[in-house]
Structure formats: structure tokens, C-alpha cells
Amino acid sequence: MASPPTAVPWIPPVLYTAVLVGGTYHAAVADGPVHRGRTAGFAAGLVLLLALELLERRRWSPSTPARAAAVLLAVRVVLFSAVAVADGSGVSRALFVLVPFTACLAFGRRAGLLSGAACVALLVAGYAVWVPRWWVRAAYVSDLLMFALGLALALSMAAVAVREQDGRARLEGVLAELERAHSRLSDYALRVAELSAAGERVRVAREIHDSLGHHLTAVAVQLEKAEAFRELDPVASAEAVSDARWSAGRALTEVRESVSALRGARPFSLTRALADLVRHLGDDRLTVTLDVTGEEAGYDAASLTALYRAAQEALTNARRHGRATRIEVTAAYGESAARLVVADNGRGFGAAPAAAPSGTGFGIRGMRERVELLGGHVEIEDRPATRPTAGAVVTVTVPRGPLPAGSTR
């Protein structure tokens, strides 16, 4: 434990000054050259003590190392003794109350109590050697009691100073820990912001692919059809252009619906959206049917939107890559989960071009990510053309309520 020279810095100088004034006054009023001859040594000792205080504060502020504190305490005891010998008034005995005071600050309460007891024992021993029957002389008994009282007050003040110092150290430790915690929290917040931004980029990319990507693909297919049938079948070509126009309008409508959903406007209806999607996908070469059972009430917009995006992706794959002529869409709302099944009679995913934008690439991956975030799952059965029931079956299941963030079922 180190001695804090600034814990109670005013006590030693005040006591030195009081002893100097008292001893000098006694020497001035006392008769004889002996008392006046001791005054110079008495004053010199007190000046050295003051210089020692100043040296310690300048050299070891804010705290004195334990070894240096022990050396300084020993030097002080020697100077206290020299001043007491040169003092004819006896007032310099009060300097010894600084011994337990300094020891308590430097080495703890136990050291202060032991040094205080040693000072009392030395005073009693001195009385026993030089003052016969001192215990029956009121002046000496009074001096002993006053000295003991001074020691008690000094130890009390030292204990208060030590507690204050410990409290300040603990407070500084708490503040330092708070600074470190604040720094870590700032790092965590920055990391969360980065992860949130990355997650938002993935979500936006998935939304663009599942919504605009689907409709743009449909527009491209319809325009290709219109181009191919322009000379051979003008009516079919016109219908293809009309379907392309509808897909473009539907894409714009879905963008508006997404914005409205973010603003808390009209709720999303999966049944209505599926019926609209199926109605405009069918033509003379493709038959699309829809079967809906149950009620979608009680399902949140995120779950319904995930099923709709899955239907878009599966229909796009079946039409463009699977070259299906018949697609069956089934939506069933159960008490605990909703299930969407899209089955076609096409060539399956294995026949899709490797570079296709949908197929088993980003589209299916985005579908799985969207559904799994809600605690659901996606099953894909790819039946090759060699089997009697050829084609692909995409089954998507989502629970009635979404999972809280970070949870798993």
C-alpha cells in the first residue's frame, strides 16, 4: 500500500506550525540562556520536517511507494525525537501523533494501530524511567490521556482518508470499466449495423429477384412469343403482348403494394394474389389451376408473402425451364401451418440450363432463405421425364406465426 501525500495534506504543516509557535513562545518567556539556546535547534528540526513534506509531495505525487514511505517515516521519527529533545515546553510531544497517522495511510489500519500503541508504550516507559511515581501526578496522567486522545483522533482521520482513497480508486476502476464497456458496446453496435446492412442488401436482392425478376421474365417470354407468332398467328401474338403488358403492370402493382405494406396500409392477400397470378399465366399452351382450402386469416404478411414469392419462382421455373404444359397450384391453410404445392408435368430442374437465372440457382436459394427465416421449409422433388409422372413438385410450408429473431423450431 502506498502513502498518499495529498490524502490530508494540511494536517502535518498545521501541526508543525502550531508546535513551532508554542515552543518559540515558551522559549521567549522562559528565563535563562538554556531555553533560548535550544530554540535554534528546535526550529531547525521543524523546518526540516516541513521541507520533508514538500519533498515527498513533489517527488512521489500522487502516491509514495511503500519502501520510500517506510524510510520517510523513520526519518520523521528521528526528527520528532530531536525536536522533542530541543523543546523545553513539551508541546512537541504532539508531533508523535503523526506516527500512527502516517503509518495508517502508508501501510494500513493495522500498522497505524500498532505504531500508535508503540508511541503510548514509549511515553509510559519514559515516564517510568525519568518521573518517579508519575501515575499519582495529575499533570503527567493528563498529558498521557491527551496524547492517547490525539492518537485516536489521528487514527480516525487517517481511516477516513484511507476509505476515501479506496472509494476514489474503486470509482476510478468502475469508470475505467465503463469506458471499456462503452468501447466494446460501440464496437458491437458498429458490427450490428454492418450485419444489418448486409442482411438488408440480401433481403432487397431477394425481393427484387422474386418480384421484379419474375415479372420481367414473364414479359420477356411473352414478347418472345409475340415475336415468334407475329406472322403465323397475329391473334396469339397480340395476346402475348397483352400478357406482357399485364406482367409489367403487375410488377408495378407489387412495388406499390410493398411500399403500402411498409406504411401499414392495405394488408396483403395471398389467395387474391395467387388467383390473379394463375389467371394471367395460362394460355393455349399452358394450363394453370389453383385449389385453395382453409382461411388465410391469422397468418402474418411475411408468411403469406413468402408463399407468394415461392409460387412465383416455381411457376417461372416450370414455364420457362421445365417447358410444362400443365401446372397445378395448391394452397392449404391449416391450424398450425400453411402449405403451398406447385406441381408441373415438365422436364424438371435437371433439364434446366446451368446458367438459368432461376432454376436451382439464386431463385431457389432465395426462396429457401426467405422461408427458413420464418421457421418453415422447402421440399423439391425432381421427377425425370423417364418416369410416368414426370415434372417437378415444389412444396413450401410455413408456420402460422413467424419465429422471433434468432430462434429455431
Side-chain angles (χ1 to χ4, degrees):
M1 182 177 179
S3 172
T6 58
V8 195
W10 54 271
I11 289 182
V14 168
L15 186 58
Y16 297 157
T17 303
V19 170
L20 178 61
V21 171
T24 303
Y25 174 78
H26 180 269
V29 299
D31 294 331
V34 175
H35 293 291
R36 289 190 293 272
R38 291 179 176 178
T39 303
F42 168 77
L46 290 172
V47 170
L48 288 176
L49 286 169
L50 286 170
L52 188 63
E53 292 292 329
L54 182 61
L55 174 64
E56 181 181 8
R57 292 178 192 177
R58 287 188 174 181
R59 177 64 179 81
W60 289 292
S61 179
S63 61
T64 305
R67 181 175 297 180
V71 173
L72 291 175
L73 180 60
V75 172
R76 285 189 178 95
V77 171
V78 172
L79 291 176
F80 292 164
S81 302
V83 170
V85 170
D87 179 24
S89 64
V91 70
S92 58
R93 286 197 298 267
L95 295 175
F96 286 92
V97 301
L98 292 178
V99 175
F101 177 81
T102 305
C104 184
L105 292 178
F107 310 109
R109 184 177 180 182
R110 178 177 297 180
L113 292 174
L114 291 176
S115 59
C119 289
V120 173
L122 288 175
L123 182 60
V124 172
Y127 283 169
V129 172
W130 289 295
V131 183
R133 295 179 58 81
W134 64 270
W135 59 88
V136 297
R137 301 173 68 172
Y140 290 97
V141 174
S142 177
D143 285 348
L144 179 61
L145 292 176
M146 292 300 295
F147 182 70
L149 179 60
L151 290 177
L153 291 176
L155 285 172
S156 299
M157 295 185 67
V160 170
V162 169
R163 284 197 297 270
E164 180 183 356
Q165 180 193 17
D166 292 341
R168 186 182 299 110
R170 286 194 295 270
L171 179 59
E172 290 175 354
V174 170
L175 291 177
E177 182 61 30
L178 286 176
E179 277 295 323
R180 290 191 293 269
H182 181 268
S183 178
R184 291 195 298 269
L185 187 60
S186 298
D187 294 339
Y188 295 155
L190 181 60
R191 180 60 177 162
V192 168
E194 293 174 352
L195 292 176
S196 299
E200 185 65 13
R201 286 194 295 269
V202 172
R203 188 194 69 80
V204 170
R206 186 167 56 236
E207 192 70 23
I208 291 174
H209 177 275
D210 293 348
S211 178
L212 295 179
H214 165 79
H215 289 295
L216 291 176
T217 300
V219 169
V221 170
Q222 294 297 334
L223 291 178
E224 288 176 2
K225 178 181 177 181
E227 180 69 20
F229 284 87
R230 183 175 55 182
E231 301 293 339
L232 300 176
D233 191 346
V235 175
S237 178
E239 290 178 354
V241 172
S242 177
D243 289 342
R245 185 182 298 111
W246 177 86
S247 294
R250 184 60 191 171
L252 181 59
T253 299
E254 289 188 7
V255 170
R256 290 171 176 170
E257 287 178 350
S258 297
V259 174
S260 297
L262 290 175
R263 294 178 177 176
R266 181 184 178 185
F268 175 75
S269 171
L270 175 60
T271 302
R272 184 175 61 249
L274 286 177
D276 195 24
L277 180 63
V278 168
R279 184 170 60 254
H280 287 83
L281 280 178
D283 55 25
D284 56 345
R285 294 189 305 167
L286 176 64
T287 301
V288 185
T289 63
L290 173 65
D291 182 25
V292 178
T293 59
E295 297 292 334
E296 66 180 77
Y299 286 89
D300 60 280
S303 298
L304 298 177
T305 301
L307 292 176
Y308 179 68
R309 299 304 184 202
Q312 284 182 315
E313 180 65 26
L315 288 169
T316 299
N317 289 330
R319 181 174 185 175
R320 186 173 188 185
H321 303 297
R323 297 181 182 178
T325 60
R326 181 175 179 81
I327 304 175
E328 297 176 356
V329 180
T330 303
Y333 304 106
E335 293 184 358
S336 60
R339 174 172 294 181
L340 172 77
V341 179
V342 179
D344 67 75
N345 64 347
R347 298 184 302 169
F349 288 104
S358 297
T360 56
F362 183 83
I364 295 299
R365 184 168 64 250
M367 179 198 304
R368 291 187 186 277
E369 291 175 354
R370 182 191 295 273
V371 172
E372 289 173 357
L373 285 175
L374 298 171
H377 60 276
V378 177
E379 297 177 0
I380 299 177
E381 182 183 357
D382 190 9
R383 300 177 296 192
T386 56
R387 294 179 56 181
T389 55
V393 179
V394 178
T395 304
V396 181
T397 305
V398 296
R400 192 176 185 87
L403 285 176
S407 300
T408 58
R409 290 186 184 272

